[in-house]
């Protein structure tokens, strides 16, 4: 029951933001990722696993840029590719859609809960399909992971292969 109320409130806020011309979810650290942690503390709360969205067969996410093995300078341009699904901002519960998360240097990921906002897990909840990121000089491993309207990875997860890039400055 609490989850349904939370979903309705989240959708209402997103629609209000749309009507007022506000973004549904800002990139990166401008706003915390939506979470259902409070709802889970009640006895009637549904398990988080039930909040995962089904991914259609054949769905995939991949890098258009940069290429695996590329040597780059800052800012690093990253362009996301997606097949078999659409992009929707966080907060919009639309079947067969999600939004991108960029995983930097192999963070631990719990696929059953909302992804946290960290330097290693970068959110693009506004529905962005590309970005520029600053990475320290050195070799970095990058991966894309699609999240649903609550930043929870799909079932099965829609994730890219890991690529390696080297940043020189």
């Amino acid at each position: 029951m609490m989850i349904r109320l939370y979903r309705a409130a989240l959708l209402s806020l997103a629609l209000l933001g749309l009507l007022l011309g506000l973004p549904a979810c800002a990139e990166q650290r401008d706003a915390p990722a939506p979470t259902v942690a409070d709802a889970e503390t009640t006895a009637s709360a549904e398990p988080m696993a039930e909040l995962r969205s089904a991914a259609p067969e054949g769905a995939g996410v991949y890098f258009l840029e940069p290429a695996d093995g590329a040597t780059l300078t800052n800012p690093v341009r990253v362009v996301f590719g997606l097949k078999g699904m659409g992009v929707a901002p966080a907060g919009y519960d639309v079947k067969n859609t999600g939004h991108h998360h960029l995983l930097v240097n192999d963070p631990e990921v719990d696929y059953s809960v909302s992804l946290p906002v960290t330097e290693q897990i970068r959110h693009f909840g506004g529905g962005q399909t590309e970005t520029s990121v600053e990475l320290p000089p050195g070799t970095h491993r990058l991966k894309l992971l699609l999240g649903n309207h609550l930043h929870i990875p799909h079932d099965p997860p829609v994730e890219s292969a890991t690529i390696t890039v080297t940043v020189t400055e």
Side-chain angles (χ1 to χ4, degrees):
M1 181 70 174
M2 289 285 290
I3 299 299
R4 288 186 187 98
L5 291 173
Y6 176 80
R7 286 179 181 166
L10 188 61
L11 182 57
S12 296
L13 288 173
L15 291 173
L16 179 61
L18 184 64
L19 291 172
L20 296 174
L22 301 172
C25 180
E27 177 180 341
Q28 197 59 3
R29 289 167 292 281
D30 293 345
T35 180
V36 294
D38 292 335
E40 284 194 279
T41 61
T42 67
S44 63
E46 301 170 52
M48 285 288 267
E50 291 184 20
L51 297 177
R52 293 182 74 190
S53 301
E57 188 174 331
V61 63
Y62 54 93
F63 289 94
L64 290 169
E65 291 182 35
D68 188 23
T71 298
L72 310 162
T73 59
N74 281 310
V76 174
R77 183 170 186 237
V78 183
V79 182
F80 317 135
L82 181 63
K83 68 175 185 171
M85 294 183 74
V87 174
Y92 290 89
D93 186 6
V94 179
K95 185 176 180 176
N96 296 332
T97 66
H99 64 278
H100 297 282
H101 297 86
L102 176 64
L103 309 182
V104 181
N105 296 326
D106 306 313
E108 291 288 324
V109 174
D110 181 345
Y111 290 87
S112 67
V113 299
S114 183
L115 296 168
V117 177
T118 69
E119 282 297 314
Q120 287 185 283
I121 303 174
R122 302 184 186 198
H123 289 242
F124 299 92
Q128 303 91 320
T129 57
E130 65 180 79
T131 190
S132 291
V133 297
E134 295 284 330
L135 296 171
T139 301
H140 301 279
R141 295 172 49 83
L142 305 176
K143 185 177 197 174
L144 294 172
L145 176 60
L146 207 66
N148 71 8
H149 62 290
L150 295 171
H151 300 275
I152 301 171
H154 292 79
D155 186 18
V158 179
E159 57 190 341
S160 72
T162 300
I163 66 169
T164 302
V165 298
T166 300
V167 177
T168 59
E169 26 175 289

